Amino acid sequence: MGGKAGRVRDEKKEEEKKLIEEEKKRLEELRKQAKSERKKEIKVERGVVRICETTIDGKLKLRHGLLQVKGISHALALAIPYAAGLNPEMRIGNLTDEQVELIEDVVKNPLKYGIPAFMLNRRRDPLDGKDKHLVASDLTVQVRQDIEFLKKIRCYRGIRHELGLPVRGQRTRSTFRKGKTVGVQRKKK
């Protein structure tokens, strides 16, 4: 009674499966073509660019490449190209020498180019009270000097730095046990 109708349904399902598989193959081919076109589009004049004492791969987009420089945050990496009048999506390898110099100047003097003070990493410097932005080796040296100053004035944070213990109030019962005696000692009889 239902034999012929069942075969018709099975044939329809098989046709639908074939159509779906053909569509998947077509989409996969389109994806491969798009991927190969994207690879062709990335034409870079220079393979490596040096910005603020940091070597950056030329294939990276400007906003992603700037993140590799120590002291540049995500927000600042997006603000720098706009302040310099550049496209943040362009490849670093395609920058001219003048553009690289302009980017370095924006990084070192962001207030001059209209970047707000809250994006800087050293506001109200304790020595001169000015807003600054430090990058690369300048930032490393300044952090080291700040820690040495804390040790010199013997404040709580400085002492914790000296002892190699956590500075920011973390618990120490179960963590930060590396390098010290771990375990329980028995009482001597």
Side-chain angles (χ1 to χ4, degrees):
M1 194 161 129
K4 190 174 182 182
R7 270 187 261 126
V8 171
R9 267 189 258 125
D10 289 342
E11 289 173 3
K12 285 183 180 179
K13 285 183 181 179
E14 286 180 30
E15 287 178 20
E16 287 177 3
K17 284 183 182 179
K18 287 180 183 177
L19 287 173
I20 290 171
E21 287 182 23
E22 288 175 8
E23 186 66 23
K24 283 183 181 178
K25 287 179 184 177
R26 192 177 66 79
L27 285 173
E28 190 63 34
E29 288 175 18
L30 288 173
R31 283 190 195 111
K32 287 179 183 177
Q33 286 177 349
K35 197 173 186 179
S36 64
E37 287 175 9
R38 267 189 261 131
K39 285 184 180 178
K40 289 177 187 175
E41 287 177 16
I42 301 176
K43 292 181 181 173
V44 179
E45 293 176 16
R46 292 190 274 181
V48 174
V49 177
R50 193 136 171 93
I51 298 176
C52 296
E53 305 171 16
T54 306
T55 305
I56 302 172
D57 183 21
K59 293 179 184 174
L60 291 175
K61 292 182 180 178
L62 185 54
R63 62 191 173 108
H64 294 299
L66 287 174
L67 286 173
Q68 292 187 350
V69 177
K70 185 174 181 177
I72 295 182
S73 64
H74 287 276
L76 194 61
L78 191 57
I80 288 169
Y82 286 117
L86 300 171
N87 180 7
E89 298 296 318
M90 76 184 298
R91 304 286 171 179
I92 287 190
N94 296 333
L95 293 173
T96 63
D97 292 334
E98 294 82 26
Q99 290 172 331
V100 171
E101 289 175 17
L102 177 63
I103 288 172
E104 286 186 357
D105 192 41
V106 172
V107 168
K108 291 183 177 158
N109 305 313
L111 294 174
K112 185 172 112 179
Y113 290 91
I115 293 177
F118 67 82
M119 287 187 169
L120 306 183
N121 61 7
R122 189 148 181 97
R123 296 184 307 220
R124 290 181 303 233
D125 185 40
L127 298 176
D128 57 8
K130 295 180 181 176
D131 294 331
K132 297 179 183 177
H133 189 77
L134 303 174
V135 291
S137 61
D138 296 337
L139 180 61
T140 307
V141 168
Q142 190 63 53
V143 169
R144 196 176 305 126
Q145 285 177 353
D146 290 343
I147 292 172
E148 290 302 318
F149 176 74
L150 292 173
K151 290 177 184 178
K152 182 180 173 188
I153 64 171
R154 303 295 296 165
C155 71
Y156 180 79
R157 286 173 52 207
I159 293 168
R160 301 296 282 188
H161 272 294
E162 280 179 359
L163 297 174
L165 292 169
V167 177
R168 298 186 177 184
Q170 297 96 324
R171 293 172 177 268
T172 57
R173 179 176 178 176
S174 60
T175 55
F176 305 103
R177 292 165 67 112
K178 183 179 175 188
K180 298 181 181 96
T181 306
V182 179
V184 179
Q185 293 181 344
R186 291 186 178 179
K187 288 185 179 179
K188 293 182 181 178
K189 293 184 181 179

